[in-house]
Amino acid sequence: MSASLKEQTLSGIIWSGLQKSGSLFLGFISSIVLARLLTPQDYGCIGMLAIFIAVSSTFIDGGFGSALIQKSKPTEEDYSTIFIWNLFLSSVLYTILFIGAPSVANFYKTPILSDVLRVQGVILVINALKIIPVNRLRKTLKFKTIAVTEVTVSSISLVITIILAWRGYGVWALVAQQISVSLLSAIMYWYSSKWKPCLRFSRTSLRELFSFGGYLLAANLINTFSNNIQGLLIGRFFNPVVTGYYSKARQTENLASTLVSQIMDQVSYPVLVQAKDNMQMMKAMLKKFIGILAFISFPMMALLILLAYPVFILLYSDTWVESIPYFQILCVGGLAVCLQGINYYAVAAIGKSRDIFKWTFIKRIIGLGLIIAGFYIGGINGLLWGSVMVSHLIYWINAYLCSKYIGYSLKEQFFDLIPIGVVTILSFGITYISEGFLPENIYVKGAIQFVIFCSLYLSISLLLRIQSFENMREIVKILKKKLIFR
């Protein structure tokens, strides 16, 4: 890796880390406050509609944003073409959602969903406006601007949402949160990027970008539908309250499992694109990225499984205790979720979008079968365990594609992860056994277990000289130097 690219990568990781840390902090504050002001039913209503908003959003951004980043030198005509296309498509999709909203409400047997979907759907058009400015910033690795924008927007929207929830607006407070985030971020990204569309639409440009982005679009649509099928099934066969418990568990697990991976994915994709002509460099970068991801994410998910009860009750109150078993199951899948994206984007970086689509179709068809079979056999818990199996299946298929095209073999990746997995399991097992010797108070017990687990994990990693631990220490040293000299 060149010195310049290494510097940009490290800077990207720092600013993406600050962004995600800030967003995580604000997300936790939001969850803590809103969980006490809103009901599981309020969250359930939003959870029921998630699949419709998510699929529509994927149609709009799909693969064209990635195609613009993957293309070495996109022209202003390329950017303008995708901007016009996204604006047109978002308007069409919003119209479809507006007309179909009563049918969606009838499907779930919850009348209020019709009005909620019609208002919430406006974010499709707003988000379409900001896709190009965001991608231009990512293309040029301006992660500082993205970080400042995201944290600022999250802070303002949090205040708006809490005020509305406190004044008794219920589910509409959550709708306002989504709309305010979309609107404010669109305004700030347009201001930051200084970009103005030339308002030229080129069919040639659209076809060229679609040749790469079209397959990613199809793959992302399948992924989005599959990731939200659980909420659709639970919402259809249970009531909004149960859906709310599931949504809170999913939201909390997702914050944890994607915290580090989204930082790495956001930075790694444009960086890997720049190294796409050097497979040895890509493999070395990928190896280090995956090791760092696993070293942080594995113990984090294990800790959340151990401390689920004190964490949920402390953060959300006893009202949400029904979410805890769902959350613990989802965290088992989170161990694989944290590593899915880095392998996926490595393959996308070298332009293998057609293969991504083919394998996405295969893994999601199998996955849907596992989820539906799990739901049929074991209800909600069966569905969630089916989802866990799907998460691990997706990771290994993505790793196989990296093995095939980049040369980072399944065997190598497996043996690189084994030491981290063993240390995590040892630390988890000893900490779990210690529970019987600790005080009954769940908060005191949780605090002691946290200290025991972290001490064991770091001590064993140091003793065994885990490579990822050494890489983390190197990064910390570099960060200290950068902070001191600044």
Side-chain angles (χ1 to χ4, degrees):
M1 188 188 298
S2 66
S4 175
L5 188 56
K6 190 172 184 178
E7 179 76 13
Q8 287 178 309
T9 303
L10 183 57
S11 176
I13 291 173
I14 293 170
W15 282 108
S16 292
L18 291 173
Q19 173 204 324
K20 291 304 297 184
S21 298
S23 298
L24 177 66
F25 174 75
L26 293 170
F28 269 128
I29 296 298
S30 175
S31 295
I32 292 167
V33 176
L34 294 179
R36 286 165 168 77
L37 295 174
L38 302 174
T39 66
Q41 184 170 357
D42 295 327
Y43 279 93
C45 289
I46 296 298
M48 287 173 167
L49 299 177
I51 190 168
F52 300 97
I53 299 297
V55 170
S56 299
S57 298
T58 303
F59 257 114
I60 297 166
D61 186 29
F64 287 119
S66 296
L68 286 168
I69 292 176
Q70 202 273 341
K71 187 174 181 178
S72 298
K73 295 181 179 179
T75 64
E76 286 302 314
E77 190 173 70
D78 291 331
Y79 284 117
S80 184
T81 296
I82 299 305
F83 172 75
I84 294 170
W85 171 257
N86 286 341
L87 198 57
F88 165 75
L89 186 58
S90 64
S91 301
V92 171
L93 290 171
Y94 175 66
T95 302
I96 293 172
L97 288 183
F98 189 92
I99 295 171
S103 298
V104 172
N106 289 335
F107 174 78
Y108 286 119
K109 300 177 183 177
T110 307
I112 193 176
L113 294 183
S114 178
D115 291 336
V116 171
L117 183 57
R118 283 175 167 173
V119 177
Q120 186 186 18
V122 172
I123 65 174
L124 298 178
V125 180
I126 300 173
N127 286 341
L129 293 170
K130 70 178 184 181
I131 290 172
I132 298 301
V134 172
N135 277 281
R136 286 175 68 91
L137 292 171
R138 287 187 66 201
K139 177 79 174 177
T140 53
L141 305 180
K142 293 181 179 177
F143 295 108
K144 178 180 177 180
T145 302
I146 295 174
V148 171
T149 299
E150 293 294 329
V151 173
T152 302
V153 166
S154 296
S155 302
I156 296 171
S157 67
L158 173 60
V159 174
I160 293 171
T161 308
I162 290 175
I163 291 172
L164 291 175
W166 178 65
R167 293 180 65 85
Y169 282 89
V171 67
W172 293 107
L174 296 174
V175 174
Q177 183 180 42
Q178 294 187 3
I179 292 176
S180 61
V181 166
S182 296
L183 183 60
L184 291 171
S185 60
I187 293 170
M188 290 188 68
Y189 278 128
W190 270 82
Y191 176 78
S192 300
S193 69
K194 308 297 183 185
W195 179 73
K196 293 181 181 179
C198 62
L199 297 181
R200 290 201 303 269
F201 184 86
S202 168
R203 292 182 180 179
T204 302
S205 177
L206 187 67
R207 281 196 299 268
E208 180 186 349
L209 292 168
F210 189 80
S211 65
F212 174 82
Y215 287 110
L216 279 188
L217 169 60
N220 288 336
L221 280 172
I222 295 170
N223 282 331
T224 301
F225 179 80
S226 300
N227 288 337
N228 288 276
I229 190 68
Q230 299 98 318
L232 185 146
L233 289 171
I234 294 170
R236 178 65 179 84
F237 293 102
F238 295 88
N239 55 51
V241 175
V242 174
T243 308
Y245 288 135
Y246 162 77
S247 296
K248 177 58 71 177
R250 190 68 166 183
Q251 178 191 48
T252 308
E253 180 275 328
N254 201 47
L255 275 173
S257 65
T258 61
L259 168 64
V260 184
S261 63
Q262 284 186 357
I263 295 171
M264 198 66 76
D265 293 346
Q266 182 169 277
V267 175
S268 65
Y269 181 56
V271 171
L272 289 169
V273 165
Q274 294 189 33
K276 64 185 178 181
D277 296 322
N278 187 334
M279 288 297 110
Q280 286 187 332
M281 181 187 291
M282 281 196 76
K283 179 182 174 180
M285 293 165 65
L286 191 60
K287 189 181 181 78
K288 185 169 286 190
F289 286 152
I290 288 175
I292 292 171
L293 267 174
F295 187 79
I296 298 172
S297 299
F298 282 13
M300 181 168 60
M301 302 313 295
L303 264 174
L304 287 173
I305 295 171
L306 275 171
L307 307 179
Y309 277 88
V311 166
F312 257 76
I313 294 172
L314 176 65
L315 295 179
Y316 306 137
S317 80
D318 293 343
T319 303
W320 296 93
V321 71
E322 298 290 336
S323 295
I324 295 172
Y326 304 156
F327 172 73
Q328 289 175 311
I329 296 172
L330 290 169
C331 282
V332 179
L335 293 166
V337 170
C338 65
L339 297 177
Q340 290 173 3
I342 188 71
N343 283 287
Y344 179 92
Y345 286 111
V347 178
I350 58 175
K352 298 295 182 180
S353 59
R354 184 171 182 175
D355 290 85
I356 288 176
F357 166 69
K358 180 180 74 175
W359 281 100
T360 296
F361 183 78
I362 293 170
K363 65 193 178 188
R364 288 304 187 174
I365 289 295
I366 297 171
L368 284 173
L370 290 171
I371 289 171
I372 293 171
F375 186 63
Y376 178 77
I377 295 169
I380 294 179
N381 285 339
L383 178 149
L384 295 178
W385 280 114
S387 177
V388 169
M389 294 173 65
V390 173
S391 295
H392 287 268
L393 172 71
I394 291 170
Y395 162 66
W396 284 110
I397 289 179
N398 290 354
Y400 161 74
L401 291 175
C402 274
S403 171
K404 181 178 179 181
Y405 293 115
I406 298 173
Y408 188 22
S409 72
L410 283 172
K411 183 178 178 181
E412 283 182 274
Q413 193 161 156
F414 178 73
F415 280 104
D416 284 344
L417 294 175
I418 279 290
I420 302 171
V422 169
V423 175
T424 303
I425 292 170
L426 277 174
S427 304
F428 181 94
I430 295 170
T431 307
Y432 180 78
I433 292 170
S434 72
E435 184 176 354
F437 305 96
L438 300 178
E440 288 298 319
N441 184 286
I442 61 170
Y443 301 122
V444 175
K445 183 190 294 184
I448 295 173
Q449 286 184 307
F450 177 83
V451 172
I452 291 173
F453 181 93
C454 292
S455 300
L456 284 169
Y457 186 75
L458 294 174
S459 299
I460 298 172
S461 297
L462 180 61
L463 183 65
L464 298 180
R465 302 184 66 84
I466 302 293
Q467 183 58 49
S468 298
F469 181 59
E470 299 301 322
N471 291 337
M472 285 296 300
R473 293 176 69 182
E474 180 186 346
I475 289 175
V476 170
K477 287 179 182 178
I478 295 172
L479 290 178
K480 282 183 179 179
K481 288 180 180 178
K482 288 177 72 70
L483 291 173
I484 289 171
F485 284 112
R486 285 183 179 180

